[in-house]
Structure formats: structure tokens, C-alpha cells
Amino acid sequence: MRISVEISKYPLTPDYGNPILSFIERLKSYPELVVRSNTMSTQIFGEYEEVHSILQKEMKASFESPETVVMVMKFVNQDLLD
């Protein structure tokens, strides 16, 4: 089953841009994901198991950073690229 996820990441630090861009670049490094970004959020599209596995890994990396981070996600049980 393919899914779509919309992610908004909010690092609670004055230098918020670099952690966001780093997170997006890490997501783009996975060939099994389609990643689309705009000024409001990042959308990822892929197979359910792969998306969740990647998000688990990359969220943990974000949360292990020294800054406090808020992440908001919406999941849809369809591939909205179609």
C-alpha cells in the first residue's frame, strides 16, 4: 500500500533553517521515496513500510539533536501523486 505524508518540522532555535534543510536532504537520499517540498511543508510518498521505517530513523536523528524540535505529520492512505 502506498501512502502520502505531509511533514512540518519546527526547530525551536534561532537557526531553524539548517535543521529543516538537513532533514529534507536526508529524506531525499532515499531512492524509494518521492520527496516534494514547499515553503509550508514537505510531502513524502512511498510504500507504507518503507515510509514508516525511514521516518522512524530520521525522526530519531532529529530528536537526538541538541535543539528542541516539534514535528507535525498528516498521513493519507493513498499516493496523492497519482
Side-chain angles (χ1 to χ4, degrees), residues 4-73:
S4 303
V5 183
E6 181 180 62
I7 306 167
S8 296
K9 179 177 178 178
Y10 305 101
L12 302 180
T13 179
D15 181 30
Y16 58 86
N18 289 331
I20 294 170
L21 294 174
S22 174
F23 180 71
I24 293 168
E25 288 306 311
R26 290 195 317 266
L27 291 176
K28 287 181 176 180
S29 74
Y30 294 94
E32 57 269 49
L33 294 182
V34 174
V35 180
R36 302 280 166 86
S37 296
N38 60 48
T39 57
M40 298 286 292
S41 64
T42 297
Q43 297 85 36
I44 60 174
F45 310 90
E47 290 295 326
Y48 179 90
E49 290 84 5
E50 293 171 339
V51 168
H52 278 278
S53 176
I54 292 166
L55 282 177
Q56 181 179 13
K57 178 181 177 183
E58 296 305 335
M59 285 175 58
K60 183 176 182 183
S62 290
F63 291 159
E64 288 176 336
S65 67
E67 67 267 345
T68 301
V69 176
V70 176
M71 296 182 92
V72 178
M73 298 184 194

